[in-house]
Amino acid sequence: MLSFLAELNDRQRDAVTKVIGDALAHNTLVASGRHLGQLWLSDAETTAWHVLLAKRRLPETQDDREQFFEAWHNA
């Protein structure tokens, strides 16, 4: 995910946010499609960073690590 996003230029990133936002905005009165797409993409990018950094962090125990990845998988 992070490598995909890193390779996007501004025009491509804008197109991705529009596509995602339009899909999310269906029957939604909250915000415009593009704004929802920007929020979703930002959240997905932040979450991907959290997971990447958590993989590098030494867990207190192996059980802690397994619980984290199980929770992430189930989310």
Side-chain angles (χ1 to χ4, degrees), residues 8-15:
L8 296 177
N9 63 34
D10 291 341
R11 192 168 150 230
Q12 291 168 325
R13 188 176 178 96
D14 188 52

Side-chain angles (χ1 to χ4, degrees), residues 13-41:
R13 188 176 178 96
D14 188 52
V16 169
T17 60
K18 182 171 177 0
V19 169
I20 292 170
D22 288 349
L24 294 173
H26 183 68
N27 293 330
T28 302
L29 301 174
V30 177
S32 70
R34 180 163 278 129
H35 182 69
L36 284 174
Q38 289 169 343
L39 291 172
W40 187 93
L41 195 58

Side-chain angles (χ1 to χ4, degrees), residues 2-74:
L2 293 172
S3 61
F4 166 76
L5 293 172
E7 294 177 12
L8 296 177
N9 63 34
D10 291 341
R11 192 168 150 230
Q12 291 168 325
R13 188 176 178 96
D14 188 52
V16 169
T17 60
K18 182 171 177 0
V19 169
I20 292 170
D22 288 349
L24 294 173
H26 183 68
N27 293 330
T28 302
L29 301 174
V30 177
S32 70
R34 180 163 278 129
H35 182 69
L36 284 174
Q38 289 169 343
L39 291 172
W40 187 93
L41 195 58
S42 176
D43 184 52
E45 193 170 13
T46 300
T47 301
W49 275 111
H50 284 251
V51 171
L52 179 67
L53 294 173
K55 281 185 173 184
R56 294 180 181 187
R57 179 181 66 88
L58 293 176
E60 293 179 17
T61 68
Q62 183 62 28
D63 287 339
D64 292 339
R65 181 182 174 99
E66 289 172 8
Q67 286 177 357
F68 172 82
F69 285 113
E70 182 178 338
W72 171 252
H73 179 71
N74 292 333

